[in-house]
Amino acid sequence: IKVIHPHLSDNPEFFRRFEEEATAVAQLRHPNIVQVYDFAHDEGMYYMVMEFVMGETLQTRLKRLNESKRLLSIQEAVTFTAEICEAAHFAHERGMIHRDIKPANIMLDVNGRAILMDFGIARMVDASQHTATGTVLGTAMYMPPEQLSEEKRLVAQSDIYSLGAVMYALLARKAPYKASSLESLIYKISNLEPQPIQELNPEVDYNIIAIVEKAIQKIIYDRYDTALEMAKDLSQAVSSLRDIGERIDMQE
């Protein structure tokens, strides 16, 4: 059960936004999206009842691997990202943008499936609180330039940027950009290029790196048109990795 902070009930727009977003999220039926079963409010407390997923967040998995100086396998990184791309596309087709795709909002269940959580939450609590000065560093690291600007014009490609940023972190063991202050982080995301993945993980194939680089382009329309296109490229990359693995096994 996710409970929305009580102070938000003072916002006259919140109740309308909560019901609107929660209704839309509850209609999302996809194997890679956490199911919302019910939502309501009681004496100023707003809550959502969701599917319980046994497993751990991608953020927890990455932290555990980093502590032992290990990386997620390239095949896992590609597979997890492709699954979340398909989930995001499913929602985009129904007019919903996640706005906050990051490792902490991705669950890995006991069967190794990636599942996207918290659809609609960013919008429910007012997107303005998740941008600019209201954003914490850990969240902003995966946000596209337009979400951190005053424009805040978000489209499907805004989620695609976040998908690319998450995949960068899976392959490179760190987010594309880091800084000690939000202002510095926003500047880097808006103006600088991240450290090349091949410098951080030479084992990553160029074709996979090209997918990530396309997803995190600063200009919206330089990214993939849809998350499904990105998922298809990633699926092809997974197939290539499996073929290479099979050839190696045969040689051995």
Side-chain angles (χ1 to χ4, degrees):
I1 299 176
K2 183 175 287 290
V3 178
I4 309 298
H5 199 287
H7 82 273
L8 291 166
S9 60
D10 295 333
N11 184 338
E13 283 290 304
F14 179 73
F15 178 69
R16 179 193 63 79
R17 192 163 53 240
F18 175 82
E19 286 210 322
E20 183 180 286
E21 290 298 312
T23 299
V25 174
Q27 293 174 354
L28 294 177
R29 299 284 198 279
H30 191 277
N32 300 104
I33 296 177
V34 168
Q35 178 65 54
V36 171
Y37 294 132
D38 192 15
F39 59 90
H41 64 98
D42 182 23
E43 298 182 358
M45 178 180 290
Y46 296 82
Y47 62 90
M48 300 176 70
V49 181
M50 298 177 291
E51 166 192 10
F52 177 77
V53 178
M54 184 73 74
E56 63 182 350
T57 67
L58 185 54
Q59 177 173 278
T60 300
R61 174 76 61 86
L62 291 176
K63 182 180 179 182
R64 188 154 45 80
L65 290 171
N66 287 345
E67 288 173 350
S68 59
K69 297 192 180 336
R70 292 183 295 147
L71 283 167
L72 200 67
S73 75
I74 295 172
Q75 184 166 323
E76 284 180 315
V78 174
T79 300
F80 292 156
T81 309
E83 289 176 341
I84 300 303
C85 281
E86 291 175 0
H89 178 72
F90 181 83
H92 294 163
E93 288 283 279
R94 287 152 183 78
M96 295 194 68
I97 300 171
H98 190 286
R99 300 168 177 258
D100 195 18
I101 297 176
K102 58 187 178 183
N105 281 338
I106 297 172
M107 283 290 297
L108 302 177
D109 71 9
V110 292
N111 297 313
R113 179 181 54 169
I115 304 175
L116 188 56
M117 303 188 295
D118 285 1
F119 249 108
I121 297 297
R123 184 170 172 80
M124 285 178 198
V125 298
D126 187 0
S128 65
Q129 296 182 25
H130 286 255
T131 56
T133 56
T135 304
V136 296
L137 283 172
T139 292
M141 286 192 294
Y142 299 95
M143 285 183 173
E146 66 270 16
Q147 192 166 357
L148 296 168
S149 72
E150 293 183 0
E151 292 181 17
K152 300 169 188 171
R153 182 173 65 90
L154 303 186
V155 292
Q157 287 94 333
S158 302
D159 278 349
I160 289 171
Y161 176 97
S162 297
L163 289 163
V166 168
M167 188 170 179
Y168 180 104
L170 300 185
L171 297 171
R173 204 190 289 161
K174 68 173 188 175
Y177 303 95
K178 286 192 175 182
S180 57
S181 71
L182 183 60
E183 292 75 16
S184 177
L185 183 62
I186 291 173
Y187 175 81
K188 288 182 177 182
I189 290 174
S190 301
N191 298 283
L192 305 181
E193 296 300 323
Q195 184 176 359
I197 292 175
Q198 56 266 39
E199 292 182 5
L200 299 163
N201 187 353
E203 295 183 8
V204 183
D205 182 80
Y206 173 77
N207 291 325
I208 295 174
I209 292 174
I211 295 171
V212 178
E213 290 178 344
K214 183 172 182 177
I216 62 173
Q217 288 295 306
K218 299 187 187 305
I219 298 174
I220 290 174
Y221 300 109
D222 286 343
R223 302 170 199 158
Y224 282 96
D225 289 333
T226 69
L228 184 60
E229 290 181 17
M230 183 175 173
K232 288 179 178 177
D233 281 357
L234 289 168
S235 295
Q236 289 179 354
V238 168
S239 296
S240 297
L241 288 172
R242 287 173 181 159
D243 290 343
I244 292 171
E246 288 173 3
R247 286 199 295 272
I248 292 173
D249 289 341
M250 289 176 64
Q251 289 172 2
E252 290 177 350

